[in-house]
Amino acid sequence: MCAPVKYNIRGPALIPRMKTKHRLYYITLFSVVLLGLIATGVFQFWPHSIESSSDWAVEKRSVHDVPVVRLPADSPLPERGDLSCRMHTCFDVYRCGFNPKNKIKVYIYSLKKYVDDFGVPVSNTISREYNELLTAISDSDFYTDDINRACLFVPSIDVLNQNTLRIKETAQALAQLARWDRGTNQLLFNMLPGEPPDYNTALDVPRDRALLAGGGFSTWTYRQGYDVSIPVYSSLSAEVDLPERGPGPRRYFLLSSQMALHPEYRSDLEALQAKHEESVLVLEKCTNLSEGVLSTRKRCHKDQVFDYPQVLQEASFCMVLRGARLGQAVLSDVLQAGCVPVIIADSYILPFSEVLDWKRASVVIPEEKMRDMYSVLRSIPQRQIEEMQRQLLCRAARRASCPESWPWVHGKEIINDRIYPYAAISYEEWNDPPAVKWSSVSNPLFLPLIPPQSQGFTAIVLTYDRVESLFRVITEVSKVPSLSKLLVVWNNQNKNPPEDSLWPKIRVPLKVVRTAENKLSNRFFPYDEIETEAVLAIDDDIIMLTADELQFGYEVWREFPDRLVGYPGRLHLWDHEMSKWKYESEWTNEVSMVLTGVAFYHKYFNYLYTYKMPGDIKNWVDAHMNCEDIAMNFLVANVTGKAVIKVTPRKKFKCPECTAIDGLSLDQTHMVERSECINKFASVFGTMPLKVVEHRADPVLYKDDFPEKLKSFPNIGSL
Amino acid sequence: MQSRRRKYLWLIFSASWLLLVLLGAPRLRQLAIPPSLRPRTLTSWPRWLDQELLPNFVEPEELTKDPCPPSCSTRQWQRQRPGCLMETCFDTSRCQSHGFKVFVYPVGLTQPISEIHHKVLASIEGSGYHTANPEEACLFVLPGDALSPQLLPLWNGGQNHLIFHLHPGSWPDLGFDLGQAMLARASPKPETLRLGFDVALPLFPQSYPQRGGSRGQLAHLIPPPGEDLLAFESQLDARVTGSSNHLDQSTILIISDHHGEASEHHRDGPCKQDHNTDQSEDQKRLYNSTFCFIPPNCHLGSFHLLQALKAGCIPVLLSSGWELPFSEVIDWGTATIMIDERHLLQIKPALQELPPARILALRQQTQFLWDAYFSSVEKIVHTTLEIIRDRIFRAAARPWLLWNAPPGGLLALPTFSTQPGDFPFYYLQRGSRPSGKFSALIWVGALDQPPLKLIQEVAGSQHCAQILVLWSNDSPPPPQGKWPQTTMPLMVIEGRKKKSDRFFPYSAIGTDAILSLDAHSSLSTSEVDFAFVVWQSFPERIVGFQTQSHFWDEIKGSWGYTDQRPNEFSMVLMDAAFYHRYYHVLFTHFLPAPLRDLVDELSECEDILMNFLVAEVTKLPPIKVPQRKPLQEVLQHAQGEQPSRDCISKFASWFGHMPLVHSQLRLDPVLFKDQVSVLRKKYRHLERL
């Protein structure tokens, strides 16, 4: 073991010269140290992989090695499903707790093989589809392996297909699960319920209070708000990679591909085909296929052989007729192919109908009306058909990433919404294709409501140190009848605002807010002092506006409370030479912005500006001390999709002698900077939200040949 | 030598030990911590070695073989299954030939009925659904809910019958066999509702207004500072502490509306009312709170829900022990906060955490729902009927948006289109714009000459797509060659010579926008162009030139209108106005025939009715654009005719309230009458007199 080392560079070898007693001692010690070192090394390098890789925890074994559980014949049986179960009666939300993220936690029981007293298995251990479904749950955020923290429990007992299991024994197997508790919070997945000859529309296995995600519910077995209707999975389309087909006319108008139809239906269909030879295609089972061809992948019409499911893409409408069961696997094929399903199955609860709006992607026809089906379908305009095809495309795209698991993807979210309804996903999020969302807006102030005049408005004057001009503005604004409060935002930290006694005496409350930092965004802060919906933002140097003009502006705002209603109008233009946006302050025929140097708007936009401004715009504005008004125009136009309103012809605001374009704006560098702002904001918003209009709002009788003294707003400046 | 060797050895040992300790200590420390405190690895579902070999849950062959037994035929299948569905218990073929017509049994047939049932019947009889001929009827409505329907001549097992059950009792407490009749039931329990067949109604008192009703009362879209978070918190607290045992209680409830009149008496309410609270105090709290707690499992809840909607107080509902009204079409998640009873303790933090954007949307939606569906008996009844209509004509049923966005399902008729893009209301939501063309519709009345000059001016507009002449003159229209030569397609329609014809939805109209004109109107091309550009910004409103204003006449105690108050307006005259073609559909199919008859009889009434209609839909005033014609001339012209005041009062009483809204503004071109060179102005011809 330890050969004497004869040639040691450093000198004579140590060990051979020692006494044997010592030698033994040292050898033991040495090996202990070595072992220790090796062990530490292993620990040092391997533990990382233990923590980071989840594969480490995944067992690698065969399905056949799972533990076997013997069920005595007299083990307890759950009660039959309770039809009156609803979330608030049969579901235990306490198990879900109050989770700040409003997400439920799902536990999966470990896989076992159940046998009866004689060792005969109760069912197939697990099917491929159920295994994939459970894998998908396990990979999702909802999954937990801690039975004590779970709110929803998914048995690993496979009940997807009722025909592959023994009903009584399966029920007994369910009842002995660790947390069965009369089925409370247990979720079962079933796609093929019922058995001949009656074919019940819900799983026949007694399951007590368990929730059922079932394919083929009818209105009588479906517990609204409790069960979840799921589609029947079809391996036919899942295994074939169908190319995406855009909306548009197809070769056939109507196609029927189902093979086992009731003779009544088949004769109806054949009659239809005889009548509309060209546009209707009724496919049947192929009788003379050569050896080795999968009969499920072929459909025939007379002598013609078609590939299935590819042929579904050739039709605008595809039939989904009720068979013995309500839920038909063909629906999955049809949806995958982007063919608009024509569903003829009375009382069928369509998959995920709780959240998916099937009206937008399918046609449902009562069984009695089957004979009129063709004319009903023909009366649907092509435009609408294409809209439905677009809907299907988007749904297919959403599923594409998880073809097998999509029943689960939807199912868990539905249940999640039920438990935390206030955090639920909205209709639009479920049903609107992302493409539509891109161009559409949902106006936060969508209610057509003219606010009462009596509420008045709050004027917010942003000021730094121009006290004299400020006092003049305050005096002028206080003459406006609808003013209800005046707020001065004192943006100068180095200087105190004038004493109370020096301020002009006005008839409404005047409040001074001191800011912590000289920032332009201070003017758009949603101060608690603002009690009215309407806000008038006004600079401390806007002295030329008359009370008539301001009061009229408020009246205009009342009619357009969701818009910026302002006096100085500006325009953005596309500079073709430079390929970028340009700011324009000339007198043009168009307006796309109003400056917030003096403008009315809804208080809500202050909240949006302060808390919801996209990107770094807010900081950018504060850093550059410029363009807060352009940012506000972008923000409002982006959320409302509407243009600004410029009121009155007024173009001069600061002093009568000034040139048409006021002080600051004259500066050429200023113009360049403003143009830069537009380009910067357009890139942050990812679009140009500003809308160009050719109108401004004037009083009804403005410049009309009518006695001035009879006009409501006679004092409207012309420049 | 020995000592040196030993030193070497010790050195090596100590170095090794040091190394061992340094490297091993952290690991040892980890081992020392109990496993429960260490970050746990998630045990996920096993990846089976043989997962590729697992059997399918069903073989594809088996699915395609899916045997269809004889019982699979429609008739057999229906017989086996109890309960009612639209497909099995409703004969839709009755509705094909005459459309959705409703027959109401005469009241005399049965015992006296309550006031509320009278209102329900009146709402149907005054509407466009009503037919007096049972042969034409698609739906039969019973005059009340306490009678023996078997005596009715057309009962037929209840098929196509609708019963309004407005006094909630315990199911099936009707006193007779319902058979295949549909039940529109106030505040039903979910388990007694036949899904997709019965209709859930709100519970409303006898004194509920038959039509019109008050508008929503929300004053602030954003909760103003100082507003209470949650009203009726005491009831919530009572539930939390369990001091009120709400189960199995049988108390007599007194529901009163906001006038304080006791109006309904019920037994078997599964909840208790707090008798100590003062009604007016309750009202104040409704209006000063952001959220209102709605007591669950209780008939009162349904009524409270309506009051909260009206006040703009966001209802906080517990998982419903009763079906929310019209839940088939109304997405209640957009207007209410639903919470599980067992999460009660968390409700206040949850409400406090709601983002302002959500609160803003919820508050607005409560007002929209109230105005659209609940403010009067008529609206509740019509919504019920429209839900049934949507079920019968499934292919033409309203999509979600039409029910859940302003102006609401009653005003968005699916007979016009089921595509939101065709209506004037949803351009924003769809991110689209109205088409850039208009059709001119010129009305040629009895005394008018063919409007040759007008046609030329209108045809000069770059936005004009076609010109339709509505010939209502006694003399035959001039032959083809006599019309002015334009490139514009010109079509002459010979009408019935009735005033209401000018708002008929002619299929020849091929654009979204209509320019309605009289033969004697005088408009220039640039006036037309500018008005149309403005209309594109406001496609849901009427954009016109000449205006009138309504007012309340104190002396006569009635509504009047005038053009002598030129500082404001609430109507524009239809002899020159742009609007969306959908309003023709509403005018013809939404308004009842008696109103249109009135228009045919009285002069100048068609303008008023159209303005009423659009204002009712949009809740906004029309838009005025400038006209070249001097005002004095306009005023003199109008003074020639004595306006008929009758119709405005009649319309106001039919609508149940005054929908018109005043405006004080006119939209002018940006440089209108500015002191700049005329050459810079786009619409310079507008200023030349």
Side-chain angles (χ1 to χ4, degrees):
Chain A
M1 182 173 143
C2 267
V5 183
K6 277 181 182 168
Y7 309 100
N8 194 309
I9 337 155
R10 301 237 168 161
L14 298 167
I15 298 160
R17 300 198 181 177
M18 279 184 272
K19 290 179 182 157
T20 31
K21 201 179 152 190
H22 277 140
R23 246 167 76 179
L24 245 164
Y25 176 65
Y26 284 127
I27 288 168
T28 330
L29 233 151
F30 218 93
S31 28
V32 166
V33 171
L34 253 172
L35 266 173
L37 271 173
I38 290 168
T40 328
V42 167
F43 267 125
Q44 280 299 309
F45 295 109
W46 281 13
H48 301 292
S49 58
I50 290 179
E51 276 164 2
S52 61
S53 156
S54 58
D55 291 277
W56 183 256
V58 173
E59 301 168 77
K60 291 276 183 202
R61 54 197 177 111
S62 160
V63 173
H64 299 291
D65 301 339
V66 297
V68 176
V69 177
R70 187 177 294 270
L71 296 166
D74 57 349
S75 57
L77 203 64
E79 279 173 37
R80 278 204 62 82
D82 181 357
L83 261 182
S84 66
C85 261
R86 293 294 182 274
M87 285 314 264
H88 64 284
T89 55
C90 293
F91 194 85
D92 181 7
V93 286
Y94 293 124
R95 289 216 179 138
C96 307
F98 177 66
N99 194 327
K101 284 178 195 150
N102 295 331
K103 284 264 186 255
I104 53 174
K105 285 286 174 201
V106 184
Y107 175 81
I108 308 174
Y109 291 98
S110 59
L111 188 60
K112 294 196 176 111
K113 188 174 180 178
Y114 295 93
V115 293
D116 63 10
D117 272 340
F118 307 101
V120 184
V122 164
S123 63
N124 284 342
T125 313
I126 190 166
S127 66
R128 181 195 301 219
E129 287 80 5
Y130 199 53
N131 180 47
E132 279 161 0
L133 204 143
L134 295 182
T135 310
I137 299 176
S138 154
D139 291 346
S140 71
D141 299 344
F142 294 85
Y143 177 71
T144 179
D145 61 350
D146 183 354
I147 199 164
N148 294 314
R149 292 167 72 190
C151 136
L152 204 59
F153 303 83
V154 180
S156 57
I157 302 163
D158 182 357
V159 292
L160 281 186
N161 184 356
Q162 193 183 320
N163 287 348
T164 61
L165 48 89
R166 292 156 68 190
I167 289 176
K168 180 175 162 244
E169 286 78 4
T170 308
Q172 287 171 330
L174 287 173
Q176 56 76 50
L177 288 171
R179 292 289 166 101
W180 178 254
D181 185 21
R182 296 185 58 212
T184 314
N185 294 23
Q186 314 287 321
L187 175 63
L188 303 178
F189 285 89
N190 166 255
M191 286 184 181
L192 299 176
E195 50 191 35
D198 288 339
Y199 287 104
N200 272 332
T201 52
L203 184 66
D204 287 324
V205 175
R207 52 184 193 278
D208 223 328
R209 297 168 145 193
L211 296 144
L212 185 59
F217 277 117
S218 75
T219 37
W220 297 295
T221 49
Y222 180 65
R223 293 169 291 182
Q224 171 95 346
Y226 193 64
D227 291 327
V228 182
S229 177
I230 59 171
V232 181
Y233 174 78
S234 165
S235 58
L236 288 174
S237 51
E239 285 163 17
V240 178
D241 203 11
L242 292 171
E244 201 170 273
R245 266 193 77 160
R250 306 275 158 95
R251 176 146 182 249
Y252 299 104
F253 181 69
L254 178 64
L255 184 143
S256 156
S257 63
Q258 283 162 289
M259 298 207 276
L261 290 176
H262 192 267
E264 251 179 52
Y265 296 146
R266 182 156 298 279
S267 61
D268 278 359
L269 283 176
E270 273 161 8
L272 198 64
Q273 171 159 46
K275 214 166 148 195
H276 310 278
E277 194 81 40
E278 279 302 295
S279 53
V280 177
L281 182 65
V282 178
L283 297 172
E284 281 173 70
K285 197 181 165 109
C286 297
T287 45
N288 47 357
L289 281 180
S290 54
E291 284 289 315
V293 181
L294 265 176
S295 67
T296 52
R297 296 224 172 278
K298 297 284 171 199
R299 295 286 189 278
C300 289
H301 175 64
K302 289 176 187 157
D303 296 333
Q304 271 181 294
V305 183
F306 295 90
D307 283 332
Y308 185 86
Q310 287 87 340
V311 65
L312 294 174
Q313 294 203 306
E314 301 301 320
S316 298
F317 290 105
C318 294
M319 305 279 308
V320 180
L321 254 167
R322 176 168 63 77
R325 293 190 181 92
L326 279 173
Q328 292 286 312
V330 69
L331 179 62
S332 296
D333 296 338
V334 166
L335 292 177
Q336 194 74 29
C339 183
V340 179
V342 179
I343 297 158
I344 304 188
D346 286 358
S347 83
Y348 179 38
I349 303 287
L350 285 161
F352 309 119
S353 56
E354 196 169 327
V355 292
L356 294 187
D357 188 354
W358 280 92
K359 277 184 218 159
R360 291 171 71 171
S362 70
V363 182
V364 179
I365 290 176
E367 288 175 23
E368 276 196 348
K369 294 281 175 300
M370 192 173 150
R371 298 216 169 105
D372 314 331
M373 172 175 67
Y374 191 79
S375 56
V376 170
L377 294 177
R378 274 295 180 198
S379 68
I380 299 173
Q382 178 63 27
R383 213 158 42 97
Q384 197 174 337
I385 298 175
E386 284 172 21
E387 178 68 34
M388 293 193 207
Q389 288 169 338
R390 210 165 290 127
Q391 277 284 325
L392 289 172
L393 255 181
C394 109
R395 284 183 196 173
R398 214 176 272 185
R399 290 200 311 263
S401 51
C402 44
E404 272 79 45
S405 59
W406 71 283
W408 160 247
V409 171
H410 283 343
K412 66 176 180 194
E413 281 169 10
I414 293 176
I415 295 171
N416 199 65
D417 283 1
R418 294 226 194 95
I419 298 167
Y420 303 108
Y422 50 88
I425 297 170
S426 76
Y427 170 88
E428 281 96 342
E429 286 172 78
W430 278 111
N431 289 291
D432 272 332
V436 171
K437 267 191 196 152
W438 192 240
S439 55
S440 69
V441 286
S442 60
N443 186 356
L445 300 164
F446 59 84
L447 188 73
L449 179 78
I450 296 189
Q453 194 197 33
S454 54
Q455 213 181 80
F457 64 90
T458 307
I460 301 180
V461 193
L462 183 74
T463 190
Y464 190 74
D465 56 4
R466 288 184 285 201
V467 174
E468 192 193 333
S469 162
L470 168 70
F471 284 179
R472 216 171 137 190
V473 169
I474 291 176
T475 317
E476 283 302 313
V477 172
S478 69
K479 291 177 189 159
V480 184
S482 284
L483 178 73
S484 81
K485 196 182 216 174
L486 217 150
L487 209 61
V488 175
V489 179
W490 190 263
N491 227 357
N492 189 342
Q493 285 78 39
N494 304 320
K495 202 170 142 188
N496 286 336
E499 276 176 46
D500 285 355
S501 56
L502 298 177
W503 290 83
K505 299 283 168 285
I506 55 170
R507 54 169 190 90
V508 296
L510 190 151
K511 186 127 199 214
V512 182
V513 181
R514 300 201 60 183
T515 58
E517 238 184 304
N518 179 19
K519 287 197 294 189
L520 277 177
S521 25
N522 287 340
R523 91 172 327 168
F524 294 136
F525 189 81
Y527 297 101
D528 271 350
E529 282 81 3
I530 309 172
E531 286 169 306
T532 58
E533 307 262 297
V535 171
L536 168 69
I538 185 163
D539 283 348
D540 59 2
D541 56 354
I542 307 287
I543 49 170
M544 283 194 60
L545 278 175
T546 64
D548 265 357
E549 280 169 312
L550 286 171
Q551 178 65 23
F552 175 68
Y554 173 62
E555 297 292 342
V556 174
W557 175 84
R558 286 180 54 228
E559 201 173 312
F560 305 99
D562 53 347
R563 302 184 189 227
L564 279 176
V565 174
Y567 297 81
R570 295 290 185 267
L571 185 65
H572 72 285
L573 289 170
W574 181 252
D575 188 335
H576 284 282
E577 281 170 29
M578 311 280 285
S579 280
K580 56 183 202 179
W581 296 107
K582 204 177 109 196
Y583 181 76
E584 179 63 88
S585 63
E586 291 288 315
W587 295 6
T588 55
N589 284 293
E590 292 164 325
V591 168
S592 65
M593 289 176 271
V594 291
L595 304 190
T596 50
V598 50
F600 287 95
Y601 59 86
H602 198 281
K603 181 190 170 183
Y604 179 68
F605 295 131
N606 269 354
Y607 162 79
L608 281 187
Y609 187 98
T610 308
Y611 300 110
K612 300 281 160 175
M613 181 63 90
D616 58 342
I617 291 182
K618 217 178 129 215
N619 293 333
W620 200 85
V621 164
D622 286 333
H624 287 72
M625 279 301 249
N626 198 352
C627 296
E628 89 286 5
D629 45 3
I630 298 182
M632 189 57 141
N633 273 279
F634 266 75
L635 182 76
V636 175
N638 191 53
V639 295
T640 64
K642 293 184 178 180
V644 297
I645 304 264
K646 169 176 166 42
V647 262
T648 74
R650 173 73 72 187
K651 288 173 189 65
K652 287 184 192 172
F653 299 92
K654 295 182 178 166
C655 49
E657 314 77 44
C658 301
T659 42
I661 305 152
D662 281 345
L664 270 177
S665 324
L666 259 186
D667 202 341
Q668 192 55 43
T669 55
H670 175 78
M671 297 299 290
V672 173
E673 221 171 273
R674 304 280 279 178
S675 297
E676 230 154 69
C677 291
I678 296 186
N679 284 300
K680 156 87 184 164
F681 297 163
S683 78
V684 173
F685 277 87
T687 174
M688 170 47 80
L690 298 179
K691 302 271 183 295
V692 180
V693 287
E694 300 183 356
H695 52 251
R696 68 164 195 239
D698 290 332
V700 173
L701 294 175
Y702 174 70
K703 291 250 168 162
D704 269 352
D705 185 12
F706 196 76
E708 288 292 319
K709 58 175 193 250
L710 295 179
K711 290 185 182 176
S712 304
F713 304 101
N715 201 358
I716 299 286
S718 58
L719 266 182
Chain B
M1 208 50 199
Q2 272 287 345
S3 63
R4 226 179 118 191
R5 252 185 239 150
R6 202 171 286 167
K7 236 160 102 187
Y8 260 118
L9 272 171
W10 277 118
L11 211 73
I12 293 171
F13 279 138
S14 35
S16 317
W17 274 111
L18 206 71
L19 214 69
L20 190 68
V21 168
L22 276 177
L23 294 177
R27 182 55 41 190
L28 281 171
R29 211 175 57 212
Q30 270 186 14
L31 286 172
I33 298 169
S36 59
L37 294 179
R38 263 181 283 148
R40 239 164 29 85
T41 58
L42 205 65
T43 335
S44 57
W45 182 251
R47 304 287 190 270
W48 305 107
L49 291 171
D50 46 0
Q51 62 183 4
E52 293 305 311
L53 303 173
L54 288 175
N56 287 104
F57 79 106
V58 62
E59 288 310 315
E61 290 79 19
E62 199 186 319
L63 268 185
T64 50
K65 263 192 303 207
D66 189 354
C68 204
S71 65
C72 168
S73 89
T74 307
R75 235 161 289 118
Q76 275 283 341
W77 196 83
Q78 280 175 9
R79 205 170 300 147
Q80 282 173 12
R81 277 146 177 96
C84 266
L85 278 182
M86 285 305 281
E87 292 92 343
T88 57
C89 291
F90 198 93
D91 179 11
T92 52
S93 63
R94 288 197 72 104
C95 313
Q96 302 304 335
S97 44
H98 298 285
F100 186 67
K101 288 286 174 199
V102 182
F103 175 79
V104 180
Y105 284 102
V107 177
L109 268 182
T110 57
Q111 62 204 85
I113 61 170
S114 62
E115 186 193 343
I116 196 79
H117 277 289
H118 269 296
K119 284 181 181 169
V120 169
L121 298 187
S123 303
I124 299 173
E125 280 164 356
S127 72
Y129 312 106
H130 183 245
T131 178
N133 180 3
E135 293 295 308
E136 285 180 2
C138 158
L139 189 69
F140 299 84
V141 174
L142 267 66
D145 54 8
L147 60 144
S148 316
Q150 281 71 18
L151 300 177
L152 296 175
L154 301 159
W155 176 246
N156 189 20
Q159 204 175 49
N160 290 28
H161 279 64
L162 174 66
I163 302 170
F164 281 91
H165 187 40
L166 306 169
H167 310 280
S170 53
W171 169 272
D173 193 22
L174 274 176
F176 58 87
D177 179 23
L178 200 57
Q180 297 189 320
M182 269 187 243
L183 197 61
R185 185 181 166 96
S187 192
K189 292 203 172 69
E191 39 302 2
T192 61
L193 193 80
R194 289 171 295 178
L195 191 65
F197 192 68
D198 291 334
V199 183
L201 297 184
L203 182 66
F204 48 97
Q206 301 269 11
S207 55
Y208 219 60
Q210 202 215 314
R211 60 166 45 128
S214 54
R215 290 282 305 267
Q217 309 281 306
L218 183 69
H220 291 85
L221 292 186
I222 309 181
E227 188 173 280
D228 289 348
L229 180 71
L230 184 61
F232 310 121
E233 218 182 311
S234 58
Q235 302 194 22
L236 180 81
D237 293 341
R239 294 189 75 77
V240 173
T241 55
S243 66
S244 90
N245 178 15
H246 57 92
L247 291 169
D248 307 322
Q249 277 207 13
S250 181
T251 36
I252 295 173
L253 300 176
I254 298 163
I255 296 184
S256 20
D257 66 0
H258 57 278
H259 303 301
E261 302 160 49
S263 44
E264 297 260 335
H265 300 267
H266 296 289
R267 288 191 66 76
D268 104 314
C271 82
K272 190 170 79 172
Q273 201 202 11
D274 192 357
H275 289 284
N276 303 328
T277 55
D278 178 19
Q279 284 293 324
S280 62
E281 194 63 27
D282 273 6
Q283 285 302 314
K284 214 183 283 170
R285 275 194 268 164
L286 269 179
Y287 289 99
N288 292 327
S289 307
T290 310
F291 298 96
C292 286
F293 178 70
I294 307 292
N297 247 349
C298 170
H299 300 317
L300 198 62
S302 182
F303 183 65
H304 264 199
L305 175 70
L306 290 193
Q307 292 218 305
L309 287 182
K310 180 181 172 191
C313 188
I314 303 164
V316 176
L317 297 157
L318 295 190
S319 318
S320 42
W322 43 282
E323 190 74 16
L324 290 174
F326 307 132
S327 54
E328 190 175 336
V329 295
I330 293 178
D331 185 348
W332 282 100
T334 60
T336 60
I337 297 287
M338 291 188 225
I339 191 151
D340 194 287
E341 176 153 359
R342 290 157 293 181
H343 278 155
L344 276 183
L345 277 175
Q346 283 88 33
I347 183 141
K348 283 188 80 178
L351 294 180
Q352 273 155 355
E353 271 175 30
L354 278 185
R358 179 92 193 276
I359 294 177
L360 179 66
L362 288 165
R363 273 167 90 103
Q364 291 178 83
Q365 193 75 2
T366 58
Q367 297 292 284
F368 155 63
L369 291 179
W370 166 260
D371 277 339
Y373 304 116
F374 298 109
S375 64
S376 66
V377 174
E378 188 177 71
K379 278 179 185 156
I380 292 171
V381 170
H382 288 186
T383 308
T384 311
L385 295 179
E386 285 298 325
I387 288 174
I388 296 170
R389 196 227 290 256
D390 263 12
R391 291 186 195 152
I392 297 170
F393 304 100
R394 260 195 237 222
R398 293 170 183 84
W400 181 91
L401 188 66
L402 267 56
W403 281 111
N404 289 288
L410 294 184
L411 294 164
L413 302 184
T415 43
F416 170 64
S417 168
T418 52
Q419 296 291 307
D422 291 340
F423 291 88
F425 319 115
Y426 314 109
Y427 288 116
L428 271 177
Q429 284 102 320
R430 298 185 46 84
S432 61
R433 284 171 64 84
S435 66
K437 297 277 178 191
F438 69 84
S439 306
L441 188 62
I442 306 175
W443 163 266
V444 184
L447 304 168
D448 291 321
Q449 294 298 309
L452 306 182
K453 173 143 190 312
L454 183 65
I455 287 174
Q456 268 171 342
E457 286 288 340
V458 170
S461 167
Q462 51 174 327
H463 303 293
C464 185
Q466 59 180 157
I467 294 172
L468 304 166
V469 176
L470 207 54
W471 193 262
S472 287
N473 202 313
D474 286 332
S475 57
Q480 201 76 47
K482 293 282 182 189
W483 295 97
Q485 294 299 309
T486 67
T487 50
M488 215 48 73
L490 191 137
M491 193 180 198
V492 180
I493 302 170
E494 285 193 71
R496 296 173 305 139
K497 302 190 176 53
K498 297 233 164 115
K499 279 281 179 62
S500 55
D501 271 5
R502 64 184 299 175
F503 302 127
F504 185 80
Y506 298 101
S507 55
I509 300 170
T511 57
D512 287 342
I514 293 175
L515 170 60
S516 165
L517 292 166
D518 268 3
H520 59 257
S521 315
S522 75
L523 274 189
S524 70
T525 307
S526 64
E527 281 169 323
V528 170
D529 278 346
F530 178 68
F532 179 69
V533 170
V534 169
W535 177 83
Q536 283 185 300
S537 289
F538 306 97
E540 77 280 19
R541 304 206 204 177
I542 310 180
V543 174
F545 298 88
Q546 289 192 49
T547 57
Q548 280 173 333
S549 187
H550 75 281
F551 63 92
W552 177 253
D553 193 332
E554 291 286 350
I555 303 157
K556 293 188 179 163
S558 66
W559 290 104
Y561 68 96
T562 179
D563 46 21
Q564 300 299 321
R565 298 183 176 194
N567 271 308
E568 57 175 16
F569 65 92
S570 56
M571 294 184 272
V572 295
L573 298 187
M574 303 308 285
D575 61 0
F578 279 101
Y579 52 84
H580 197 280
R581 74 186 165 113
Y582 174 61
Y583 291 118
H584 277 205
V585 177
L586 274 185
F587 191 92
T588 310
H589 298 301
F590 172 74
L591 296 176
L595 284 192
R596 283 193 302 279
D597 293 343
L598 200 66
V599 162
D600 292 335
E601 285 162 22
L602 302 169
S603 71
E604 277 196 17
C605 277
E606 76 275 20
D607 291 10
I608 298 170
L609 185 55
M610 193 57 160
N611 276 283
F612 263 71
L613 178 65
V614 178
E616 172 75 10
V617 174
T618 61
K619 322 265 189 263
L620 294 171
I623 283 174
K624 177 178 167 64
V625 288
Q627 194 179 18
R628 277 191 314 167
K629 203 191 271 184
L631 187 70
Q632 296 298 344
E633 194 183 310
V634 173
L635 289 180
Q636 276 155 20
H637 167 78
Q639 271 172 348
E641 289 170 57
Q642 266 311 313
S644 152
R645 280 193 174 186
D646 262 8
C647 48
I648 191 163
S649 291
K650 279 186 178 146
F651 296 154
S653 81
W654 186 81
F655 281 90
H657 64 125
M658 170 50 74
L660 296 178
V661 187
H662 280 116
S663 171
Q664 307 187 55
L665 63 93
R666 183 182 70 199
L667 292 184
D668 292 337
V670 173
L671 295 179
F672 186 66
K673 296 201 176 168
D674 277 353
Q675 293 160 15
V676 287
S677 159
V678 162
L679 295 175
R680 285 176 70 167
K681 299 184 180 179
K682 185 172 174 187
Y683 298 100
R684 58 188 80 120
H685 299 292
L686 271 181
E687 298 176 22
R688 234 189 275 150
L689 291 176

